[in-house]
Amino acid sequence: MPKMNMIQALNSALDIAMEKDPNVVSFGEDAGYFGGVFRVTAGLQEKYGLDRSFDTPINEAAIAAMAIGMAANGLRPVAEVQFSDYIFPAIDQIVNEMTRLRYRSAGQYTQPIVIRSPWGGGIRGGQTHSMSPEAFFTHVPGLRVVIPSNPYDAKGLLLASIENNDPVVFFEPKRMYNGPFDGKPDGALQSWANHPKGEVPEGHYTVPLDTAEVVREGNDVTVIAYGTLVHVALSAAEKSGIDAEVIDLKTLTPYDIGTITASVKKTGRCIVSQEAPRTSGFAAELSAQIQEDCFWSLEAPIGRVTGWDTPYPHAHEWSYFPGQDRFINALKSVMEVA
Amino acid sequence: MATQEPRYRVPVPEFRPGDEPDFSHLSIPAAGEAKRPGVDVDGRDTIDLALGMVRVLDHNHQAVGEWNPEIKPDVLREGLRHMVLTRVYDERMLKLQRQGKMSFYMKSTGEEAVAVAGAMALKDSDMVFPSYRQQGILFARGRDIVDMMCHCISNSRDNLKGRQLPVHYTWAEGNFFSISGNLGTQFPQAVGWAMAARYKGEDQVTASWIGDGTTAEGDFHGALTLASTYRAPVILNVVNNQFAISTHQNMAIGDAPTFAMKGLGYGIASLRVDGNDFLAVYAAMQWAGERARKGHGPTYIEYFSYRADAHSTSDDPSGYRPKTEAKAWPLGDPIERLKNHLIGLGEWDEERHEALEKELNELVVKSYKEAESHGTLHDGPLSPVPSIFEDVFEEPDWRLIRQRQDLGV
């Protein structure tokens, strides 16, 4: 099976979707001729033409609005927002329009749209190239939020998102475009070529949007992560000596409550994690739901490993980013409770 | 109380309650003065049109000049009927709101020509992205009045299942997009729709309307940028009715000479039109439609009009402008002007007009009785309660199913 990094896997998904369905169009700032600042849309304009893969003016609200109008008229737009930090100008169009159109029109109009956007920290991106704004979107009824953690899932989830009839915000952990990241910034760069999830079928396949995956089985504690932190959590579990079960959530809304509760009921302990600031983050939602559904199985308070309630700093990135040590401390702490 | 001169200009309306409104200083170009260029005109060559005003009906109610669309009396009578129906419907719905039969209403009094003539000059297959004040489009396109009322009273026959405020119509069958409360969002969406129509090779034109106040929103800029960049077959309409709730249009226009001028900066062909002149609105929209259909790109139009009534049923305009202002408005009333034009042509008379008003009043009263038979907001029946969990996604997920169970339905 071919090896792909996440960029190649996402590119392959777009290529296949555009090949399969002439209604799929791809656009964004620098996403046409140049192929995107991260190369995810490379080659698409050459292959499918100017009117299927094109550049846009620098206006995220207009990009989202254009997608809305196109999707209401039967196309399946895949719009790119260059960094998820810059998705906020589009938030009115996404929250009040895109995600509500099916509802407010009682199904007369639908919005099969994917908004792709590079996401997350760990790249010395500072305040506006590192954000993890998923909780702004998981709070929105009618929106699916998807965050892959590896090339195989990236392709399968993106294809599933494009083929789904609901709007999807698809965040791509840019720290892992070229290789997995275990949370140790001074370690050697890793490559997807040596990772089992770097094996990506060339053809069409999908990864379901409503299913999490247990990526490490364990009996002591459940760790729930998504995106880059999946790999950080896995490394931490290995090093901690604690038999943690690690769940890669993949889809944040609607999240896979079945896989989560089955695991927490087995282990009796749980850590939820996110790169984003702690307060009102998505981990808070997970924590509350797990508390409701698994209360009688819990042997310890649910732990949270998160970014701090600060803007994302540049120089002190590695004091901000929830790395291995923070996971290991949390694992120990949650195991110490009687 | 203000104790000193303001340190920067904060625009205020010319007239406040108690003032005697006087619009004699307004420079209104004479009917027939504007030149009508070919539909392939370069945007930059429309500066005279953006600064002037397309007007067809003169002070004697005669149709004059190059923009006279020369439409048949039957079509004019049809337009008059749609405008009168719009006004009669608005009046009735206001009364019903005052009686507590529905929560909210917004009239379009004085602006009927903008919606009706615009819709009639387009094809019914053309797509419209209106704001909340173009209900005239629905009448011009023949939407069932009972259906409109059922939406406004949110009853069991409301095609939006009680999810939207009154007047936020959606009618996909009539190519009428879903109206949103968020101002201006539809403007760039319309461009996306128009691009998709062109992508699919369809001979469809898309039109969208916003008000003067909404031109201050970022989506105004986004829409004009997209329309210009992608040369979309779209008509972007600004209804300048002088007021955005209590704020005068000068709060949005700044020092620009006209709203129409703003289109020229984007390279879009731009017109300024007498919004109370049915023939001028019709001619401008017909011109813009042909321009779009022939692939010459977008058109941006300002309709100069006046919001003759309150912003909404939640608004009392006597708190911020003179009560006599609408009567003093120099462009008059669109229904009166078309009526007088038809009378001048010998194609209409006062008796027929009275009979039309009576007929439409009866139609609206009868329609409301029928609408009410399907329920009202207060007394029901409404759409089934479980329907609040439908159409969030294509299929409800476990959270929605659980929440529905929590609600016990």
Short mmCIF file of all heavy atoms in Angstrom, two decimals, chain B residues 41 45 76 81 101 113 128 133 170 179 208 239 294 300-302 329 343 364-366:
data_model
loop_
_atom_site.label_atom_id
_atom_site.label_comp_id
_atom_site.label_asym_id
_atom_site.label_seq_id
_atom_site.Cartn_x
_atom_site.Cartn_y
_atom_site.Cartn_z
N VAL B 41 -22.37 47.54 -21.42
CA VAL B 41 -21.58 48.71 -21.02
C VAL B 41 -20.51 48.34 -19.99
O VAL B 41 -20.72 47.48 -19.13
CB VAL B 41 -22.51 49.81 -20.47
CG1 VAL B 41 -23.13 49.41 -19.15
CG2 VAL B 41 -21.77 51.14 -20.31
N ASP B 45 -18.27 53.16 -17.24
CA ASP B 45 -19.03 54.12 -18.05
C ASP B 45 -20.45 54.35 -17.52
O ASP B 45 -21.29 54.94 -18.20
CB ASP B 45 -19.09 53.65 -19.51
CG ASP B 45 -17.72 53.66 -20.16
OD1 ASP B 45 -16.89 54.51 -19.75
OD2 ASP B 45 -17.45 52.81 -21.03
N LEU B 76 -48.97 46.35 -16.88
CA LEU B 76 -49.02 47.43 -15.89
C LEU B 76 -50.15 47.18 -14.89
O LEU B 76 -49.97 47.39 -13.68
CB LEU B 76 -49.23 48.77 -16.59
CG LEU B 76 -48.07 49.25 -17.48
CD1 LEU B 76 -48.45 50.56 -18.18
CD2 LEU B 76 -46.81 49.45 -16.65
N ARG B 81 -51.95 45.53 -9.55
CA ARG B 81 -52.67 44.57 -8.70
C ARG B 81 -51.74 43.97 -7.64
O ARG B 81 -52.09 43.90 -6.46
CB ARG B 81 -53.26 43.46 -9.59
CG ARG B 81 -54.07 42.44 -8.85
CD ARG B 81 -54.45 41.24 -9.74
NE ARG B 81 -55.10 40.22 -8.94
CZ ARG B 81 -56.40 40.20 -8.69
NH1 ARG B 81 -57.20 41.13 -9.18
NH2 ARG B 81 -56.91 39.26 -7.91
N LYS B 101 -52.66 38.25 17.11
CA LYS B 101 -52.77 36.98 16.37
C LYS B 101 -51.41 36.47 15.91
O LYS B 101 -51.30 35.32 15.51
CB LYS B 101 -53.68 37.16 15.16
CG LYS B 101 -55.02 37.79 15.49
CD LYS B 101 -56.13 36.78 15.44
CE LYS B 101 -57.46 37.49 15.64
NZ LYS B 101 -58.58 36.57 15.71
N ALA B 113 -43.14 48.97 -5.27
CA ALA B 113 -42.67 48.92 -6.66
C ALA B 113 -41.32 48.22 -6.77
O ALA B 113 -41.07 47.49 -7.73
CB ALA B 113 -42.58 50.32 -7.25
N VAL B 128 -34.13 34.53 -6.36
CA VAL B 128 -34.07 35.77 -5.57
C VAL B 128 -33.63 35.49 -4.14
O VAL B 128 -34.01 34.50 -3.52
CB VAL B 128 -35.42 36.52 -5.57
CG1 VAL B 128 -35.79 36.95 -6.99
CG2 VAL B 128 -36.54 35.71 -4.95
N ARG B 133 -38.02 42.72 3.46
CA ARG B 133 -39.00 43.72 3.05
C ARG B 133 -39.30 43.67 1.55
O ARG B 133 -39.62 44.67 0.92
CB ARG B 133 -38.53 45.13 3.46
CG ARG B 133 -39.69 46.00 3.97
CD ARG B 133 -39.26 47.42 4.29
NE ARG B 133 -38.38 47.56 5.42
CZ ARG B 133 -38.76 47.52 6.70
NH1 ARG B 133 -40.03 47.34 7.02
NH2 ARG B 133 -37.87 47.65 7.65
N THR B 170 -39.64 31.32 3.25
CA THR B 170 -38.80 30.52 2.35
C THR B 170 -39.75 29.84 1.38
O THR B 170 -40.77 29.29 1.80
CB THR B 170 -38.03 29.40 3.10
OG1 THR B 170 -37.25 29.99 4.13
CG2 THR B 170 -37.12 28.63 2.15
N ILE B 179 -35.24 33.57 3.99
CA ILE B 179 -34.88 34.87 4.57
C ILE B 179 -34.31 34.67 5.97
O ILE B 179 -34.83 33.91 6.78
CB ILE B 179 -36.11 35.79 4.61
CG1 ILE B 179 -36.51 36.15 3.17
CG2 ILE B 179 -35.83 37.06 5.42
CD1 ILE B 179 -37.78 36.94 3.07
N SER B 208 -30.43 39.84 -5.50
CA SER B 208 -30.52 39.95 -4.04
C SER B 208 -30.79 41.40 -3.66
O SER B 208 -30.41 42.32 -4.39
CB SER B 208 -29.23 39.45 -3.39
OG SER B 208 -29.36 39.48 -1.98
N VAL B 239 -31.99 48.85 -1.48
CA VAL B 239 -33.20 49.64 -1.35
C VAL B 239 -32.91 50.75 -0.35
O VAL B 239 -32.87 50.51 0.86
CB VAL B 239 -34.39 48.78 -0.89
CG1 VAL B 239 -35.68 49.61 -0.94
CG2 VAL B 239 -34.53 47.54 -1.75
N LYS B 294 -26.68 37.65 -20.72
CA LYS B 294 -25.78 37.65 -21.89
C LYS B 294 -24.31 37.53 -21.50
O LYS B 294 -23.43 37.63 -22.36
CB LYS B 294 -26.00 38.92 -22.71
CG LYS B 294 -27.33 38.89 -23.46
CD LYS B 294 -27.46 40.03 -24.44
CE LYS B 294 -28.67 39.82 -25.35
NZ LYS B 294 -29.08 41.09 -26.00
N TYR B 300 -25.28 46.52 -10.13
CA TYR B 300 -25.56 46.97 -8.78
C TYR B 300 -26.51 48.15 -8.88
O TYR B 300 -26.27 49.08 -9.66
CB TYR B 300 -24.23 47.35 -8.13
CG TYR B 300 -24.32 48.15 -6.85
CD1 TYR B 300 -24.65 47.53 -5.64
CD2 TYR B 300 -24.06 49.51 -6.84
CE1 TYR B 300 -24.72 48.27 -4.47
CE2 TYR B 300 -24.12 50.25 -5.68
CZ TYR B 300 -24.46 49.62 -4.50
OH TYR B 300 -24.52 50.36 -3.35
N ILE B 301 -27.61 48.09 -8.16
CA ILE B 301 -28.66 49.12 -8.32
C ILE B 301 -29.08 49.68 -6.96
O ILE B 301 -29.34 48.93 -6.02
CB ILE B 301 -29.92 48.53 -9.01
CG1 ILE B 301 -29.55 47.81 -10.32
CG2 ILE B 301 -30.94 49.64 -9.28
CD1 ILE B 301 -30.73 47.15 -11.03
N GLU B 302 -29.11 50.99 -6.89
CA GLU B 302 -29.71 51.66 -5.72
C GLU B 302 -31.11 52.15 -6.11
O GLU B 302 -31.28 52.80 -7.13
CB GLU B 302 -28.87 52.87 -5.30
CG GLU B 302 -29.56 53.71 -4.22
CD GLU B 302 -28.90 55.08 -3.96
OE1 GLU B 302 -27.85 55.36 -4.57
OE2 GLU B 302 -29.45 55.84 -3.15
N TRP B 329 -42.52 63.34 1.11
CA TRP B 329 -41.49 62.72 0.28
C TRP B 329 -41.68 63.07 -1.20
O TRP B 329 -42.74 62.85 -1.76
CB TRP B 329 -41.50 61.19 0.48
CG TRP B 329 -40.41 60.50 -0.26
CD1 TRP B 329 -40.55 59.63 -1.29
CD2 TRP B 329 -39.01 60.66 -0.06
NE1 TRP B 329 -39.32 59.22 -1.74
CE2 TRP B 329 -38.36 59.85 -1.01
CE3 TRP B 329 -38.23 61.42 0.81
CZ2 TRP B 329 -36.97 59.77 -1.09
CZ3 TRP B 329 -36.85 61.34 0.73
CH2 TRP B 329 -36.23 60.52 -0.21
N ILE B 343 -54.35 55.66 -15.59
CA ILE B 343 -55.53 56.49 -15.83
C ILE B 343 -55.25 57.45 -17.00
O ILE B 343 -56.08 57.60 -17.90
CB ILE B 343 -55.93 57.27 -14.55
CG1 ILE B 343 -56.49 56.30 -13.51
CG2 ILE B 343 -56.96 58.36 -14.87
CD1 ILE B 343 -56.75 56.90 -12.13
N VAL B 364 -57.97 38.90 0.99
CA VAL B 364 -57.06 38.78 2.13
C VAL B 364 -57.83 38.35 3.39
O VAL B 364 -57.37 37.47 4.14
CB VAL B 364 -56.30 40.12 2.34
CG1 VAL B 364 -55.63 40.16 3.70
CG2 VAL B 364 -55.27 40.31 1.23
N VAL B 365 -59.02 38.92 3.57
CA VAL B 365 -59.82 38.54 4.74
C VAL B 365 -60.20 37.06 4.67
O VAL B 365 -60.07 36.30 5.64
CB VAL B 365 -61.09 39.43 4.84
CG1 VAL B 365 -62.06 38.90 5.88
CG2 VAL B 365 -60.69 40.87 5.17
N LYS B 366 -60.64 36.66 3.48
CA LYS B 366 -61.04 35.26 3.27
C LYS B 366 -59.84 34.32 3.46
O LYS B 366 -59.94 33.26 4.09
CB LYS B 366 -61.59 35.13 1.84
CG LYS B 366 -62.23 33.80 1.51
CD LYS B 366 -62.88 33.86 0.13
CE LYS B 366 -62.40 32.75 -0.76
NZ LYS B 366 -61.45 32.92 -1.77
#
